[in-house]
Amino acid sequence: MRVDPFQREIDEDLVRVLYAQDPIAFFSHWFSIAVLVAIYWPDIPSPRLFVACFGFYAAANCGGLALWICHRRYPRLVSPRGWIYLHAVRGMLLYSAPGFAVWFAFQSPHPDLPLLHTVMLVTLAAGVFMSNGFDLLNFSTAIPFLLFPSIVLHFGTHTFDRTILAIVLAFFVCAINVYALSYRKLFQRVVQARVDQQYLAESLAAQKRVAEEASLAKTRFFAAASHDLRQPLHAIGLLAASLNDPLNDPLHDPAATPVQHAKTAEHIVYNVEALNQLFNQVLDLARLESGVTQVIRLHFRLSELFERIGSQYRPQAAAKGLALRIAPTGVIVHDDPVLLERVLSNLVSNAVRYTEEGAIWVGFRRAGRSSGGFIEVRDSGIGIPLDEHQRIFEEFYQVANPQRDARQGHGLGLPTVRRLVTMLGGELQLRSAPGRGSVFRFPVQGGDAGGIVASLNEGVAGGPSAQGRRVLCIDDEPSILEGLASLLARWGCVVRGARDEADALAALGDGFVPDAVLCDYQLANHRTGAQALSAVRAMLARAGHEGVVTLLITGDMASAELAALALQGIPVLHKPVTPARLRRTLDMLWQQADLDKGRAVAARGLSVGDGGFDSADGSPSGDHRPPRMSF
């Protein structure tokens, strides 16, 4: 049985205090034995019984000492509560001997012996209160055996003075019980204060360690990031300077041919791409750490995602002589296709980079699960030693790249993958050994074919979803507003621009009813896009236009309001937003809104016709609505 942590702290303190006083109690009881024997020695009643009683008293006292020695040498032999129980048994045996020995006083011809023996018992009871009063078990097993026989015998004499003495003893027992109760409460408060102080100290120490580790990790992160950022910048500066150097002009140096200039320009482009890739990876990690990256779960065919990964990485694999095998599957999953694609892209990219011969396999396995399963990425690459399995998930750490060659990546892919898989509610698993390749595996949720609203491989432009849609764009930057209007118009949308919240409400007042509202997060006059969207939605709701798609676009990475919006399920896109991502997001939102609207109309039609209920639990027939999308 599990013990409450606070109760265990109390038990441990009780054990320390109880056993700390046992050596003194040992000598006190030997003194008590000597005094009682001396009192009865001139005229011992029932000698055999007397010897047995006081022999038992002496043996119990020695047994108490043996228990103290055992606890001192083997403190972990039993639990703290066990030591308390043993101490209570020791007290019951030890104090029953002098308690029942008062019978000899009533058998003695000397009338003063009952009073003297009773005084000795009260003295021992006071010692019990001082040493055992803070523990109910030890106190309640000692006092009754010590005083109750005397109370009963004094009452049994039926004399006035002995009856008064019995009443006084009974009152004494009640009084020390009341004081012992207060004693126990005080003891518990003291222990509580100590435990609270100890927990506070441990918590502060743990927080200090976390802060120190975070500071060290931050230092390592910036040191590595600084190196990887400076390298391409340094190369770009040198290459650009070489192009601008008049000595490299063909008029001054015939050796500087246009081919050399083109090669230099190519190197510059390569370094710019490397710099852009690193910058985007760092931004991705920052978004994940800030908690504003949203999970948009959709029902889709996993084969479509595999097809996108295959078309992207087959040329790279073929260039190295590798085979990229995608296992066919008809599974429907319910997950975020964008985040899953980022996970697979990083894993397959790593597999291609660190595999020199053989093949790379991507597929889906049920692994005994009735719904959903696992996506696996296998390679026949260099493998990862067991002691490196955790380190590869550290930022900027690479097993086979001690020289930090940027052409082999920057060591941010796997940390991003682990965070993304965790965000999706799974755990990234790794099996790998040097020379035997690697297997990365993570779970995905099962989906419903009836909930599919779009194909992942639909084209970006010219699709039917955007044609004729009315879009209200809110942004205080004229160039961005113009760019959005031009892009959306090419997709066939009817666009209305607004510089701020007031312009947007004015457009609605003019009768412009949008199918979507795109809004920047930071607007003029200290207003935010969240406030503008709230005002627009409220005005549309009052006019009876609900279910309008809203989308917030921001360049902020960490904001309490953005994190709150993400938790509320409000879609947010982070700049820079590519046209493909904007179009895909709008198409998914529009198709989901249309599907919800159609099902709502169908449900109302069923309720008007025949009630629309045919199931045993009264649920609407035919309504297999997928869960609402969580952004």
Side-chain angles (χ1 to χ4, degrees):
M1 184 176 64
R2 297 183 63 183
V3 181
D4 178 67
F6 174 60
Q7 184 60 49
R8 186 175 181 86
E9 292 286 344
I10 292 179
D11 290 348
E12 289 178 351
D13 278 10
L14 281 174
V15 170
R16 281 192 290 269
V17 178
L18 286 171
Y19 285 86
Q21 302 178 71
D22 281 354
I24 299 175
F26 176 74
F27 291 105
S28 299
H29 283 288
W30 275 118
F31 177 76
S32 173
I33 292 172
V35 170
L36 290 174
V37 170
I39 291 174
Y40 289 105
W41 187 258
D43 190 7
I44 299 176
S46 304
R48 289 186 179 180
L49 190 60
F50 184 86
V51 171
C53 178
F54 280 89
F56 175 80
Y57 190 8
N61 194 26
C62 293
L65 181 64
L67 180 65
W68 175 80
I69 294 173
C70 183
H71 170 263
R72 187 175 180 84
R73 291 190 176 182
Y74 312 105
R76 302 298 176 187
L77 185 62
V78 294
S79 66
R81 178 51 49 179
W83 285 117
I84 292 173
Y85 289 149
L86 290 173
H87 198 272
V89 173
R90 163 259 187 202
M92 180 182 66
L93 297 175
L94 187 61
Y95 289 102
S96 63
F100 285 105
V102 74
W103 178 82
F104 296 108
F106 284 88
Q107 302 300 315
S108 173
H110 301 288
D112 295 333
L113 280 182
L115 181 60
L116 290 174
H117 197 119
T118 301
V119 170
M120 178 64 69
L121 294 180
V122 170
T123 304
L124 290 174
V128 171
F129 171 77
M130 295 300 297
S131 61
N132 296 353
F134 43 78
D135 178 50
L136 176 62
L137 179 63
N138 277 266
F139 185 75
S140 60
T141 53
I143 291 297
F145 287 98
L146 190 62
L147 294 180
F148 280 6
S150 180
I151 294 174
V152 172
L153 290 173
H154 279 294
F155 267 120
T157 59
H158 303 292
T159 60
F160 178 76
D161 56 342
R162 297 295 174 84
T163 301
I164 294 298
L165 181 58
I167 293 173
V168 170
L169 282 175
F171 178 79
F172 175 74
V173 171
C174 295
I176 62 173
N177 271 283
V178 171
Y179 283 116
L181 177 62
S182 301
Y183 195 9
R184 287 193 293 273
K185 290 181 178 179
L186 176 62
F187 183 80
Q188 288 188 358
R189 286 197 294 269
V190 170
V191 175
Q192 178 71 69
R194 182 188 64 78
V195 170
D196 290 344
Q197 186 177 14
Q198 179 179 343
Y199 283 169
L200 178 60
E202 292 174 353
S203 175
L204 290 175
Q207 292 177 12
K208 181 181 178 182
R209 286 194 301 270
V210 170
E212 290 174 348
E213 291 173 0
S215 177
L216 183 60
K218 183 179 179 181
T219 301
R220 289 198 302 264
F221 179 89
F222 280 115
S226 173
H227 173 273
D228 285 9
L229 285 170
R230 289 174 185 271
Q231 287 289 86
L233 285 173
H234 180 62
I236 290 170
L238 293 176
L239 292 167
S242 70
L243 287 177
N244 291 328
D245 192 345
L247 294 179
N248 289 333
D249 193 310
L251 297 177
H252 296 84
D253 183 8
T257 64
V259 175
Q260 291 176 322
H261 285 176
K263 189 174 182 180
T264 302
E266 182 181 346
H267 286 308
I268 291 176
V269 170
Y270 167 78
N271 281 279
V272 169
E273 290 177 351
L275 190 63
N276 183 60
Q277 181 187 21
L278 175 59
F279 183 69
N280 287 333
Q281 288 179 330
V282 172
L283 283 181
D284 283 344
L285 274 178
R287 289 184 189 131
L288 294 173
E289 292 291 343
S290 65
V292 298
T293 299
Q294 297 164 310
V295 177
I296 306 175
R297 297 193 188 277
L298 299 173
H299 298 269
F300 63 93
R301 295 178 179 85
L302 187 57
S303 59
E304 296 179 354
L305 180 58
F306 284 175
E307 182 181 340
R308 292 172 61 85
I309 295 297
S311 62
Q312 182 179 357
Y313 288 101
R314 274 199 179 94
Q316 298 181 28
K320 294 186 66 175
L322 304 174
L324 177 56
R325 300 191 177 99
I326 308 291
T329 178
V331 171
I332 308 296
V333 299
H334 181 229
D335 233 312
D336 188 315
V338 175
L339 298 186
L340 276 183
E341 184 171 353
R342 287 169 61 186
V343 170
L344 282 175
S345 293
N346 277 297
L347 291 178
V348 175
S349 174
N350 270 4
V352 172
R353 180 178 298 121
Y354 295 109
T355 302
E356 298 302 327
E357 59 180 15
I360 298 158
W361 183 87
V362 180
F364 173 84
R365 292 183 182 276
R366 288 284 184 187
R369 298 180 62 172
S370 58
S371 176
F374 294 86
I375 294 178
E376 288 188 359
V377 177
R378 299 170 176 261
D379 65 60
S380 56
I382 60 175
I384 304 167
L386 183 61
D387 58 350
E388 303 279 355
H389 280 196
Q390 292 302 318
R391 295 205 62 191
I392 62 172
F393 296 106
E394 297 176 6
E395 292 84 357
F396 293 101
Y397 182 80
Q398 294 172 290
V399 177
N401 190 16
Q403 292 81 21
R404 302 208 55 79
D405 183 0
R407 289 170 296 183
Q408 297 186 36
H410 302 281
L412 295 176
L414 289 178
T416 302
V417 166
R418 170 174 274 187
R419 285 170 172 82
L420 287 171
V421 171
T422 301
M423 182 180 299
L424 292 171
E427 180 183 359
L428 183 63
Q429 302 174 15
L430 167 64
R431 295 200 314 271
S432 184
R436 302 184 63 180
S438 303
V439 179
F440 288 90
R441 164 172 153 165
F442 59 92
V444 290
Q445 302 177 18
D448 180 10
I452 297 176
V453 298
S455 169
L456 300 183
N457 296 326
E458 287 180 354
V460 171
S465 298
Q467 191 69 35
R469 300 277 190 177
R470 297 178 300 276
V471 182
L472 176 62
C473 299
I474 309 173
D475 201 305
D476 57 355
E477 180 63 43
S479 58
I480 294 179
L481 205 57
E482 182 179 351
L484 275 175
S486 175
L487 178 66
L488 291 167
R490 290 205 310 271
W491 293 346
C493 298
V494 179
V495 186
R496 181 76 175 265
R499 295 287 301 276
D500 52 28
E501 180 182 323
D503 283 354
L505 297 178
L508 299 180
D510 292 341
F512 185 80
V513 180
D515 296 298
V517 181
L518 274 61
C519 185
D520 188 36
Y521 179 63
Q522 296 289 355
L523 298 176
N525 302 321
H526 304 288
R527 300 290 289 176
T528 66
Q531 294 170 321
L533 287 179
S534 178
V536 167
R537 283 198 303 266
M539 187 170 181
L540 287 170
R542 288 194 298 270
H545 303 292
E546 297 184 356
V548 175
V549 168
T550 57
L551 188 60
L552 200 64
I553 302 175
T554 179
D556 289 10
M557 294 305 302
S559 164
E561 187 174 14
L562 283 176
L565 292 174
L567 292 175
Q568 296 171 19
I570 297 176
V572 179
L573 289 180
H574 293 271
K575 299 176 182 178
V577 180
T578 63
R581 184 166 184 196
L582 176 62
R583 176 59 186 278
R584 183 176 300 279
T585 303
L586 284 174
D587 280 351
M588 289 179 179
L589 293 172
W590 275 328
Q591 293 184 47
Q592 184 65 50
D594 291 344
L595 185 64
D596 288 343
K597 188 182 299 182
R599 285 173 171 162
V601 171
R604 285 197 296 270
L606 285 172
S607 62
V608 171
D610 60 357
F613 296 96
D614 61 4
S615 60
D617 61 353
S619 59
S621 61
D623 187 1
H624 302 289
R625 181 183 301 180
R628 181 178 177 82
M629 287 192 297
S630 173
F631 296 93

